[in-house]
Amino acid sequence: MNYYHADSTVYLAVMHGQGLNIFHRPADNLSEIIEIFRQSILTDDKITMYQISQELYQILIFPAYDIIENQQLVIIPDGFLHRLPFETLMKTAKTHSKSSKQPWLIVQHPVVYALSASMLFKEARNQVAKENFIGFAPVFSERSQSRWRAFAGTLPYSKKELESIARLFTKNRQEAQIISYQDATDARFKASDFSKYGYVHLGTHAKVNYERPELSCLFFE
């Protein structure tokens, strides 16, 4: 699902097994709507969150509803759409249910992201070790020497999370490498040859700088 936003219109190109479909919808003030939606998530304003979630679903997802049914979604955003957590969109809300029971998009479809269609196709042609897995989990526990521990907080279950994922690979005789605690350094991450792996998992903190995106970062030991 490849999105492009121009003026007051958003375009959606859906590539699937039967071909290509292109949709467009009016989308006035879409950037501002997304920012209000993000704030409603941060402040746990469920009324606003559910309302805007459904509005965004109608604009961004519903046009392709019949095509994407029961399919994994590869979403390629455009511009400010990178700031939208598509997983939290919903067709309809169960207003009397707890939020965890809401019909989020992620419940209906596995969702992954790609930076561009060209990179996605290039990756699809790369068959080298595509089923292997590598994961990093600094944990930031009491034995951590990281200067980020006090700033970001500990992640006590991140290693167990990696171990659970790794078992899904090893039981099928695929490679799964876990790098945790003091081994999960930025130097180790940068030195890793990710061409050997089809799946990379980071169980760590991140900091986003919206004013200067180049200063955004991931935390390691």
Side-chain angles (χ1 to χ4, degrees), residues 50 53-54 57 88-94 102-105:
Y50 293 168
S53 175
Q54 293 171 79
Y57 185 100
T88 59
L89 304 186
M90 63 174 79
K91 184 179 179 182
T92 56
K94 298 178 182 178
Q102 294 296 338
W104 311 112
L105 185 68

Side-chain angles (χ1 to χ4, degrees), residues 3-203:
Y3 291 91
Y4 176 71
H5 183 263
D7 297 325
S8 59
T9 304
V10 63
Y11 296 88
L12 168 60
V14 182
M15 293 160 278
H16 52 93
Q18 286 70 48
L20 172 69
N21 291 81
I22 298 178
F23 307 92
H24 61 87
R25 287 290 187 275
D28 292 327
N29 304 316
L30 186 58
S31 177
E32 290 82 359
I33 293 172
I34 289 175
E35 286 308 306
I36 295 172
F37 180 58
R38 286 167 49 85
Q39 287 302 313
S40 72
I41 295 174
L42 293 173
T43 59
D44 199 27
D45 178 0
K46 289 186 174 58
I47 294 177
T48 302
M49 178 170 56
Y50 293 168
Q51 177 183 347
I52 298 181
S53 175
Q54 293 171 79
E55 292 176 4
L56 292 173
Y57 185 100
Q58 292 299 315
I59 297 172
L60 300 172
I61 304 297
F62 187 74
Y65 180 78
D66 293 334
I67 298 173
I68 66 174
E69 188 174 6
N70 300 320
Q71 299 295 316
Q72 172 180 288
L73 305 184
V74 179
I75 294 176
I76 305 172
D78 172 54
F80 58 80
L81 288 172
H82 283 90
R83 302 178 68 174
L84 173 65
F86 281 79
E87 298 91 334
T88 59
L89 304 186
M90 63 174 79
K91 184 179 179 182
T92 56
K94 298 178 182 178
T95 55
H96 300 293
S97 300
K98 294 181 179 180
S99 60
S100 61
K101 301 297 184 181
Q102 294 296 338
W104 311 112
L105 185 68
I106 190 63
V107 176
Q108 310 299 326
H109 305 273
V111 176
V112 296
Y113 291 88
L115 295 178
S116 70
S118 59
M119 290 184 66
L120 179 64
F121 292 140
K122 180 179 179 180
E123 179 65 22
R125 291 195 297 268
N126 180 12
Q127 300 298 316
V128 178
K130 66 176 183 178
E131 298 301 325
N132 292 339
F133 170 84
I134 185 171
F136 292 79
V139 183
F140 306 114
S141 66
E142 288 75 9
R143 69 188 192 189
S144 172
Q145 300 299 315
S146 173
R147 63 187 183 278
W148 301 118
R149 178 189 164 199
F151 175 77
T154 63
L155 293 170
Y157 297 105
S158 57
K159 186 172 186 291
K160 291 183 179 179
E161 180 182 53
L162 282 186
E163 291 170 341
S164 297
I165 297 172
R167 283 195 292 271
L168 299 176
F169 287 83
T170 56
K171 75 177 183 180
N172 292 320
R173 298 183 179 180
Q174 296 158 356
E175 180 183 341
Q177 185 176 6
I178 294 175
I179 302 171
S180 59
Y181 292 111
Q182 64 271 15
D183 293 328
T185 64
D186 57 342
R188 181 73 177 272
F189 177 77
K190 293 174 182 178
S192 298
D193 182 5
F194 292 112
S195 66
K196 297 179 179 179
Y197 303 97
Y199 300 88
V200 179
H201 181 91
L202 301 179

